[in-house]
Amino acid sequence: MANELMFEKPLLELQKKIQELRTFSQQSGLDFSEEIDKLEKKAELLASNIYEDLTPWQRTQLARHSERPTTLDYIAGICTHFVELHGDRNFGDDLAIVGGIGKIDGIPVTVIGHQKGHDTKENIARRFGMPQPEGYRKALRLMKQAEKFKRPVICFIDTPGAYPGIASEERGIGEAIARNLIEMAGLRTPIICVVTGEGGSGGALALGVGDRVYMLENSIYGVISPEGAAALLWKDSSLGQRAAETMKITAGHIHSFGVVDGVIPEPQGGAHKDTAETIAAVKETIVAALRELIEIPSDLLVEQRYNKYKQMGHYAEL
């Protein structure tokens, strides 16, 4: 089966047998309803056993699933009257980040997010959601525009990290990320961020400084990918599974650390199993946060955002 994950294989094979038996029953006219019912109950139990206790590596695989909803999918399901805007007014337009203006429940907003593809051709064009400097500068341009017109900013985060090519370094990828962190910290309009898949390193954080930050249940958020961490720690990127278990990058871990404000539940098996349900849950969370944040004066909003990040982590003065 296309895009199947190894830990899902027993369940998918059982579901395939159920479908084959159902098809044979219809074609032959024989009644296999009792057998089908038994297999379906077995499949339900197996699904519960698989998905209720996923390991960090299994959640990482789900976070990277090619059929998960992308930023444009969320925009289509959440926004009305959306108009995409392009370019950083300096170098060019980066397809790895999309953004524009629209309305959510009648509230004018600016929406920005990393954009992966659903197939190989689109992924190559969008560099698998890894932005270059002009992508982050486009995002910042749209944020400053939102501030000017008092529109809240919604950010969808899904990237392995910023694009590591020579051209990115030549055009100042580090400065572009740092600039976004500075500007988002003081932006005088509400910012809501949602990690929908991979939240990788500074490439994710450059869209991740918000008044409210949420993660989907099977998303991940970390300073480096598990494979990258394994390459640094043990000189072997194939030990990504071991690194994932050690890094505490799942939504549950990150929420328990106080880095994000909430975890948005996904359908059993992941966001791609029921895209409409996932998008509806994300919209409900965003709308609730929007209704709360738009009532807060700008000065107080920035002060609360500062205090939110100031309180993260632990340190000691010697």
Side-chain angles (χ1 to χ4, degrees), residues 83 85 89 99-101 109-110 138-151 153 187 189:
V83 178
L85 302 175
R89 301 296 186 267
I101 56 177
V109 296
T110 291
K138 172 170 68 171
L140 180 57
R141 179 176 75 84
L142 298 185
M143 290 179 202
K144 298 301 286 185
Q145 182 194 76
E147 181 182 50
K148 178 179 179 180
F149 292 102
K150 297 180 171 57
R151 289 192 299 264
V153 175
L187 204 71
T189 196

Side-chain angles (χ1 to χ4, degrees), residues 9-10 19 30 99 158 193 201 206 224 233 273 284 300 306:
K9 196 170 183 179
Q19 185 57 46
L30 300 174
D158 186 15
C193 309
S201 191
I224 192 172
L233 292 173
K273 296 292 186 180
E284 182 181 353
L300 181 57
Y306 170 79

Side-chain angles (χ1 to χ4, degrees), residues 163-184:
Y163 188 69
I166 293 175
S168 279
E169 298 295 342
E170 289 175 341
R171 296 198 293 274
I173 188 66
E175 187 277 338
I177 291 173
R179 177 65 58 187
N180 278 25
L181 300 180
I182 293 170
E183 296 288 354
M184 291 183 80

